[in-house]
Amino acid sequence: MTTQAQQQTGKIIWHFMMSLDGFIAAPGQDALGWLEGVSIRPGVVTEYAGRIGAVLGGRKGWDAYPDSSAPYGGAMGGPTFILTHHPDDAKADQAESGPGVTFLNCEVAEAARIALEAAAGKDLVVFSADIGRQLLNQGLLDELHLHIAPVLLGDGTRLFDNPGGVPVQLERLAGDDLRASVDVSYRPVRTN
Amino acid sequence: MTTQAQQQTGKIIWHFMMSLDGFIAAPGQDALGWLEGVSIRPGVVTEYAGRIGAVLGGRKGWDAYPDSSAPYGGAMGGPTFILTHHPDDAKADQAESGPGVTFLNCEVAEAARIALEAAAGKDLVVFSADIGRQLLNQGLLDELHLHIAPVLLGDGTRLFDNPGGVPVQLERLAGDDLRASVDVSYRPVRTN
């Protein structure tokens, strides 16, 4: 009989809305404007807000959206960690309440360990293409959860930019055939 | 009463197996080796072989796979058209029978018109990222049919490489919500 409850460790997941052609952000200032008109399954935000205990992000994303209360419509409630070599000139947190942001200046693996511990048994979500790629390449990323938007961007920040690397084989989390491809079919929206 | 049957015109479609991160070919010589172990819904090949009446491809793809009888496991039966400015040094067709290949040296839109007419009422499939992008940008691409493989490539030939362009909004061919995103979730295949 143990006298102390064993705390379960959460997973490290990449969770993004991604364009059909593999981008998570458009080039330029209006990085997420292309998502207008794209719908998401009802309940998704609540579902993820409940399972996510902390956010790990990069400096670029933070400076674009410096608000630790923003993830999952404010329903997440856990702390935010930003990996940056220069915490001194990062934008101040715009959140008026909540657990706020902690800037980390360390190796990616160490940042993930700190943030996962802060998630207190819930999952850690990685909101950065760069950090996610490094964790994936180091074997530290547990899962990828993507919402594939019916949009072709043609340019921008790729989910996984890994020139010279080897293909990363994935398997689906559920289903009869874990290596099955997913069939999608679209037509361009005619604007005229 | 008409004395001659009106022939229906097929659609121009992009049909590819694509990596989750938006690539249709890996860099280097082994462009399609990453597809090993990826499965596709049973019946897909037969289904498309029946609806496709002609293939339009580019020079690079032809020289890598110079066999007009290869598409859809040989079950397609229609002609192949290859758009190239230098037909003279293209590789010879390795097909031993069938309708063979025709090299076209013209504008993309004209090549699509010729190949669609040759499809004789069936659909024209475009097996080229470059030609497909141009047709899409000219408003001539009717549909995109993709099989998203559980693989991250990180590098290679992108489905839609369109720097400086505007986002292309798509809609699903069927469903209650044509602008819905598609949810997928994976874990990396552990190789050790």
Side-chain angles (χ1 to χ4, degrees):
Chain A
M1 185 180 163
T2 54
T3 51
Q4 192 175 359
Q6 180 81 28
Q7 179 163 297
Q8 193 185 335
T9 303
K11 292 172 180 166
I12 301 181
I13 70 176
W14 235 357
H15 185 209
F16 278 117
M17 180 79 91
M18 180 179 80
S19 74
L20 178 61
D21 57 336
F23 294 94
I24 57 163
Q29 293 303 310
D30 190 18
L32 299 178
W34 55 281
L35 286 171
E36 195 174 338
V38 174
S39 56
I40 197 159
R41 181 170 51 82
V44 161
V45 172
T46 308
E47 184 184 309
Y48 280 89
R51 67 179 282 181
I52 302 296
V55 169
L56 176 60
R59 177 62 188 271
K60 193 174 155 191
W62 174 259
D63 283 351
Y65 302 97
D67 183 349
S68 68
S69 66
Y72 302 107
M76 193 266 297
T80 294
F81 296 86
I82 301 299
L83 189 57
T84 173
H85 295 304
H86 302 284
D88 43 294
D89 60 354
K91 285 196 182 171
D93 191 359
Q94 293 176 358
E96 295 182 352
S97 61
V101 64
T102 302
F103 296 100
L104 300 173
N105 180 2
C106 60
E107 294 297 315
V108 166
E110 173 69 2
R113 192 193 62 73
I114 292 168
L116 185 60
E117 189 173 303
K122 290 188 171 186
D123 293 336
L124 168 66
V125 68
V126 177
F127 281 159
S128 159
D130 199 38
I131 296 171
R133 174 183 47 76
Q134 293 179 64
L135 292 173
L136 182 59
N137 285 341
Q138 292 176 35
L140 295 173
L141 192 78
D142 293 306
E143 296 179 2
L144 297 85
H145 295 235
L146 300 167
H147 309 281
I148 302 175
V151 179
L152 293 173
L153 272 184
D155 194 7
T157 302
R158 296 208 339 243
L159 171 73
F160 187 60
D161 188 6
N162 199 40
V166 296
V168 177
Q169 303 291 335
L170 307 172
E171 58 186 24
R172 304 185 70 174
L173 294 187
D176 293 335
D177 182 353
L178 301 183
R179 298 305 315 281
S181 48
V182 174
D183 300 350
V184 292
S185 49
Y186 300 93
R187 68 172 69 83
V189 175
R190 304 293 182 191
T191 49
N192 53 2
Chain B
M1 184 181 161
T2 54
T3 52
Q4 193 176 357
Q6 180 81 29
Q7 178 164 299
Q8 192 187 333
T9 302
K11 291 171 180 167
I12 301 180
I13 71 174
W14 235 357
H15 185 208
F16 278 116
M17 180 80 91
M18 181 178 80
S19 74
L20 179 62
D21 57 335
F23 294 94
I24 58 164
Q29 293 303 308
D30 189 20
L32 300 178
W34 56 281
L35 286 170
E36 195 174 338
V38 175
S39 57
I40 196 159
R41 182 170 49 84
V44 161
V45 172
T46 308
E47 183 185 308
Y48 280 89
R51 66 179 283 183
I52 302 296
V55 168
L56 175 60
R59 178 60 187 273
K60 192 174 156 193
W62 175 259
D63 283 350
Y65 301 97
D67 183 348
S68 67
S69 67
Y72 302 107
M76 193 266 294
T80 294
F81 295 87
I82 301 298
L83 189 57
T84 173
H85 295 304
H86 302 283
D88 43 294
D89 60 354
K91 285 198 182 171
D93 191 358
Q94 292 176 0
E96 295 184 351
S97 62
V101 64
T102 301
F103 296 100
L104 301 173
N105 181 1
C106 60
E107 295 296 317
V108 166
E110 174 69 0
R113 194 194 60 73
I114 291 168
L116 185 59
E117 190 173 303
K122 290 187 170 185
D123 294 338
L124 169 65
V125 69
V126 177
F127 280 160
S128 160
D130 199 39
I131 297 171
R133 174 182 48 76
Q134 293 180 66
L135 292 173
L136 182 59
N137 284 342
Q138 292 176 35
L140 296 173
L141 193 78
D142 292 307
E143 296 179 2
L144 297 85
H145 295 234
L146 300 168
H147 308 281
I148 301 175
V151 180
L152 293 173
L153 274 183
D155 194 8
T157 303
R158 292 204 346 236
L159 172 74
F160 187 61
D161 188 8
N162 200 40
V166 295
V168 177
Q169 303 291 335
L170 307 172
E171 58 187 23
R172 305 185 70 174
L173 295 186
D176 292 336
D177 182 353
L178 301 183
R179 297 305 314 284
S181 48
V182 173
D183 300 351
V184 292
S185 49
Y186 301 93
R187 68 171 70 85
V189 174
R190 306 290 182 192
T191 50
N192 53 0

